[in-house]
Amino acid sequence: MTQTRRFSRRLTRRDVMKSAAAAAALLPMPALAQGAASRVVVIGGGFAGASCARALKALDARINVTLVEASRTFTACPFSNLVIAGMRELSKQQFGYDKVAAAGVTMAFTTASAVDPQAKSVTLADGNRLAYDRLVLAPGIDIRWDGLPGYDEAAANVMPHAWKAGEQTTLLRRQLESMEDGGLVVISAPANPFRCPPGPYERASLIAYYLKTKKPKSKLIVLDAKDAFSKQRLFQNAWKELYPNLEWVSLSSGGKVTSVEPASKTVVTDFSRHQAAVANIIPPQKAGHIADLAQVADRSGWCPVDAMTFESKQRPNIHVIGDAAIMGAMPKSAFSANAQAKVCAAAVAKLLAGEKPVEPRLINTCYSVVAPDYGITVAGAYRPKDGVLVDAEGGGVSPIDAPASTRAAEAKYADGWFNTITTEVFG
Ligand SMILES: Cc1cc2nc3c(=O)[nH]c(=O)nc-3n(C[C@H](O)[C@H](O)[C@H](O)COP(=O)(O)OP(=O)(O)OC[C@H]3O[C@@H](n4cnc5c(N)ncnc54)[C@H](O)[C@@H]3O)c2cc1C
């Protein structure tokens, strides 16, 4: 690391918001253990990236941390299924970065458009460049637009995926609201791996709740490219009890969607064609595009990383966290992204100081809301083994035969979890 590396051109005032603390951090630095102030650039200000940037500053205020984020407002996916079902407003999902900046992180509100792993620099959409000693990539997911015949960006305006929260979430909600009672809603769920393994089934539950309470003559079919899914017994028990109009079609029963026809909102499998009033296509996914540009994604589309430090197995000095990374047994969730961010920050701080990172233990908990007063949970613990994260002792799911009071309590815990994590990351 050197003290002389600088942004190759200054960022414009409009693009860069600096807190007083961040501005102070740009003044001459006291030497770190290895002799010079270090630069870390984090790309992506979601649950992974914003958490990592803050954790790095908290660990060592002398590290110059720049967070590159395309949008000034972050729209969270967790709880966005409640927005789709009309149980919550999108504004409650939205967060700004003032507190992240106040924690000493330099915000660059622009898109990172290239990474040069040899020169250790990031190019921004406006042409500015940022030099780094360590780069953390946390870009979340992109849709594989070539992953499902017929499904392209234009098709997503007719058959929304709503797998990135924001306009797509609102579009799906509006389509449900304007659908006639008696209409057919189709959800297509992808093969593993994808963002939020229980997400399609939470969505199915809440759309079924909406239909049951607002459009009871309607029907919901979930066409699945899998035979098994997260919290399956819990979801299926709840569906049996609450939602007789919800049908789940597994891979072996012909559920895999092979193409879509947006003009007629038709969803096609090897054995059937479903003309939907509302079609929610959750397509195959991959790491956010910048991972390709940084040459850290492999042929699977995701980024293999070392399980101790989350450093890319393909490019040194670049770490990948959150949904974009292959994390072995650990699922792609906001909780995981936040946990990985803190482990990564600790490892990066150690590496910059010339020290050995500590072997981590990680935990994930994922709540799903099945109805307003009905929540279920899965928890897992993870540790590194042979370069990947494997299951560690601990973890499990909600009891299968829990009373209604437990389900109601878990729905409340879900709410509390969302408030806590978003306060920690953005508040
Ligand atoms: C419907 C749904 C429900 C979910 N429910 C839950 C839940 O209950 N609990 C849970 O734990 N998880 C849940 N998840 C999963 C959770 O949303 C993701 O796992 C989490 O957002 C991953 O965090 P991330 O930081 O990796 O990506 P993101 O949160 O998507 O953040 C990525 C950020 O990177 C930015 N970015 C990308 N590329 C660039 C670039 N080139 N330049 C600048 N910025 C860039 C984007 O603008 C974005 O802000 C849910 C997901 C969905 C879709």
Side-chain angles (χ1 to χ4, degrees):
M1 77 193 94
T2 74
Q3 203 164 8
T4 51
R5 283 189 195 128
R6 297 245 169 253
F7 300 165
S8 56
R9 269 194 274 148
R10 288 178 67 81
L11 295 172
T12 63
R13 184 182 294 269
R14 190 166 174 276
D15 291 334
V16 178
M17 184 177 80
K18 294 186 183 108
S19 68
L26 294 175
L27 296 171
M29 295 284 164
L32 288 178
Q34 293 297 296
S38 304
R39 258 180 224 111
V40 178
V41 174
V42 181
I43 300 179
F47 287 101
S51 305
C52 187
R54 283 186 87 153
L56 271 163
K57 277 314 271 189
L59 282 162
D60 189 339
R62 295 167 300 175
I63 302 174
N64 283 328
V65 181
T66 303
L67 177 57
V68 183
E69 167 52 50
S71 171
R72 284 178 182 268
T73 303
F74 178 73
T75 306
C77 284
F79 273 40
S80 65
N81 286 329
L82 283 94
V83 177
I84 290 165
M87 294 158 61
R88 186 179 173 89
E89 292 312 311
L90 191 68
S91 56
K92 288 190 121 185
Q93 300 294 113
Q94 295 181 318
F95 303 89
Y97 290 93
D98 287 357
K99 294 283 172 52
V100 179
V105 174
T106 302
M107 291 300 307
F109 288 114
T110 181
T111 301
S113 54
V115 173
D116 184 337
Q118 273 78 38
K120 296 215 256 175
S121 73
V122 174
T123 304
L124 306 178
D126 55 14
N128 286 309
R129 282 179 40 187
L130 300 172
Y132 63 79
D133 296 304
R134 294 255 162 196
L135 173 64
V136 179
L137 287 188
I141 58 150
D142 267 330
I143 304 299
R144 270 184 189 276
W145 293 115
D146 58 353
L148 177 63
Y151 199 68
D152 57 15
E153 280 168 279
N157 293 327
V158 183
M159 305 166 109
H161 55 77
W163 221 241
K164 288 185 174 196
E167 280 173 22
Q168 279 274 309
T169 313
T170 310
L171 178 62
L172 183 54
R173 174 175 171 164
R174 293 226 175 93
Q175 288 190 352
L176 287 167
E177 283 168 352
S178 55
M179 184 185 89
E180 305 247 321
D181 189 6
L184 172 67
V185 181
V186 177
I187 296 178
S188 153
N192 293 322
F194 63 98
R195 159 174 282 181
C196 194
Y201 313 98
E202 179 188 69
R203 178 170 295 172
S205 307
L206 293 176
I207 290 181
Y209 175 79
Y210 172 79
L211 298 179
K212 182 177 169 178
T213 50
K214 300 276 177 5
K215 298 182 179 172
K217 288 187 245 156
S218 307
K219 183 170 176 176
L220 169 62
I221 298 183
V222 182
L223 298 172
D224 209 326
K226 301 177 291 303
D227 279 327
F229 59 86
S230 176
K231 294 182 255 190
Q232 184 164 356
R233 273 188 74 206
L234 289 163
F235 274 116
Q236 288 185 317
N237 270 13
W239 294 344
K240 214 156 120 194
E241 183 188 331
L242 302 173
Y243 306 128
N245 284 358
L246 191 169
E247 182 190 355
W248 175 68
V249 187
S250 68
L251 170 69
S252 5
S253 309
K256 185 179 177 200
V257 173
T258 51
S259 66
V260 295
E261 295 167 12
S264 58
K265 287 196 187 171
T266 300
V267 185
V268 183
T269 72
D270 278 339
F271 306 99
S272 55
R273 296 172 59 83
H274 303 269
Q275 192 168 1
V278 175
N280 169 214
I281 305 300
I282 305 170
Q285 298 146 38
K286 61 182 183 119
H289 182 50
I290 193 70
D292 290 328
L293 302 177
Q295 302 157 25
V296 292
D298 70 12
R299 288 172 66 189
S300 72
W302 306 101
C303 307
V305 292
D306 173 74
M308 288 273 289
T309 60
F310 306 138
E311 187 166 0
S312 165
K313 289 186 175 168
Q314 308 204 159
R315 292 277 174 259
N317 304 307
I318 302 182
H319 302 250
V320 188
I321 53 174
D323 285 358
I326 300 170
M327 287 290 178
M330 197 168 193
K332 298 184 188 303
S333 76
F335 195 122
S336 297
N338 175 259
Q340 291 158 12
K342 291 179 229 172
V343 168
C344 182
V348 167
K350 287 268 185 201
L351 290 166
L352 290 171
E355 294 169 17
K356 197 168 171 269
V358 178
E359 186 177 293
R361 292 289 181 273
L362 293 106
I363 294 173
N364 173 57
T365 303
C366 192
Y367 296 95
S368 296
V369 181
V370 174
D373 54 357
Y374 195 127
I376 54 177
T377 313
V378 59
Y382 309 92
R383 66 186 172 87
K385 190 176 174 223
D386 303 329
V388 295
L389 288 175
V390 298
D391 288 315
E393 202 180 345
V397 294
S398 310
I400 197 77
D401 52 359
S405 56
T406 304
R407 303 291 188 229
E410 293 217 272
K412 273 211 178 110
Y413 302 155
D415 200 45
W417 168 80
F418 182 85
N419 293 336
T420 300
I421 194 167
T422 51
T423 302
E424 192 209 327
V425 181
F426 300 102

